[in-house]
Amino acid sequence: MSGATLPGEQPPLPRALPVLLSFVAGYVDSFTYLGLFGLFVAQVTGSFVIAGAEFVTRDFGIAGKLLAIVAFLAAAAATAALIALTRNAGQAVLPWMLGLEALLLALFAAVAVFGPPITNARDWHGIVAGLFAATAMGAQSVLVRLLMKDIPQTNVMTGNITQLGIAITDIVLAWRRFARSRHDMAAVREFETVRDRLLTVLWIALGFMAGAASGAIAFAAAGIRGALIAVAIVAALALWTAKREKRA
């Protein structure tokens, strides 16, 4: 995420921004898994597997999982459209999209915290809360893909671990070329590029892991009210990016 900024371009985003979004994704996934009876809203692959398995286990919790997948898809499509509309209107896109994610997370937290206790996977208010969480993660997935250049997904760790394995091989090969000719500027630039890519993927993976662990601990300590922490983080990022756009 380094490099010079050309005239008229925005300065590169700090690595902390996608890492914090990855933390939020892991945090929310822990909350929905623990609080909404096995629902994954960030790692949609998990919801596919659990929904499929429930045809055999028959615990009647399949509706919420299937609806969450649909909600994620709908949010992804809607967010892509909103990004295009916001750009056409000449507005700063990233703050608005982060604000949208914060709003969706706030709705998830509000339904979960202020609604009746969620006692099983069939509770309608639990399903509604899960839908808001899924739409928030769908929005995050698209805003990272479309608005953060060269940043891997912050809520899909299977692909990131694959990229991490590739990056480890790339860094070894780049180091060997760099070590043979430290005065070769092309080798130096290649090594720096591969190193930055490796560190970006690594930090995002660690951010998700830290978020998942923190979410589990917060759920055990504070119950569903701990979901408000995710809302606060994304809202703070939206405000920070808005101020950053004004200074640019």
Side-chain angles (χ1 to χ4, degrees):
M1 301 182 67
S2 58
T5 303
L6 298 175
E9 287 189 348
Q10 292 293 330
L13 292 169
R15 185 177 286 129
L17 179 55
V19 172
L20 283 171
L21 288 176
S22 183
F23 179 93
V24 167
Y27 192 95
V28 172
D29 235 10
S30 275
F31 260 83
T32 56
Y33 179 79
L34 294 170
L36 301 181
F37 301 90
L39 176 62
F40 291 101
V41 294
Q43 296 270 21
V44 179
T45 304
S47 289
F48 271 103
V49 173
I50 291 174
E54 287 184 355
F55 281 105
V56 176
T57 58
R58 297 181 181 181
D59 67 358
F60 304 101
I62 191 172
K65 277 77 172 180
L66 293 176
L67 288 172
I69 293 169
V70 174
F72 188 101
L73 174 61
T79 303
L82 287 172
I83 287 173
L85 291 172
T86 308
R87 277 176 171 160
N88 291 338
Q91 299 293 318
V93 184
L94 185 56
W96 280 106
M97 294 307 105
L98 288 171
L100 171 63
E101 181 183 348
L103 173 62
L104 293 169
L105 286 174
L107 291 171
F108 154 63
V111 173
V113 172
F114 300 111
I118 301 169
T119 58
N120 60 63
R122 292 171 290 175
D123 280 355
W124 67 266
H125 46 281
I127 292 174
V128 171
L131 294 182
F132 281 123
T135 55
M137 291 298 100
Q140 177 174 310
S141 184
V142 171
L143 75 87
V144 171
R145 177 66 61 89
L146 297 183
L147 302 180
M148 298 185 183
K149 184 179 178 182
D150 299 326
I151 297 299
Q153 280 294 331
T154 54
N155 58 333
V156 183
M157 291 304 112
T158 303
N160 286 347
I161 296 303
T162 302
Q163 283 188 261
L164 186 59
I166 295 170
I168 289 171
T169 298
D170 288 343
I171 196 72
V172 172
L173 296 175
W175 169 255
R176 290 181 63 185
R177 288 188 286 269
F178 172 72
R180 284 197 299 264
S181 180
R182 295 177 182 270
H183 300 293
D184 184 348
M185 293 308 299
V188 172
R189 286 193 296 271
E190 179 191 17
F191 176 77
E192 291 177 346
T193 299
V194 172
R195 179 198 62 197
D196 288 347
R197 186 164 60 242
L198 171 64
L199 289 175
T200 298
V201 178
L202 178 61
W203 277 112
I204 286 175
L206 291 175
F208 189 94
M209 184 182 298
S214 299
I217 293 169
F219 182 84
I224 202 68
R225 289 178 176 80
L228 295 170
I229 293 175
V231 181
I233 292 173
V234 180
L237 291 176
L239 292 173
W240 178 82
T241 53
K243 291 181 179 179
R244 181 175 180 270
E245 292 284 348
K246 288 181 180 179
R247 292 197 301 265

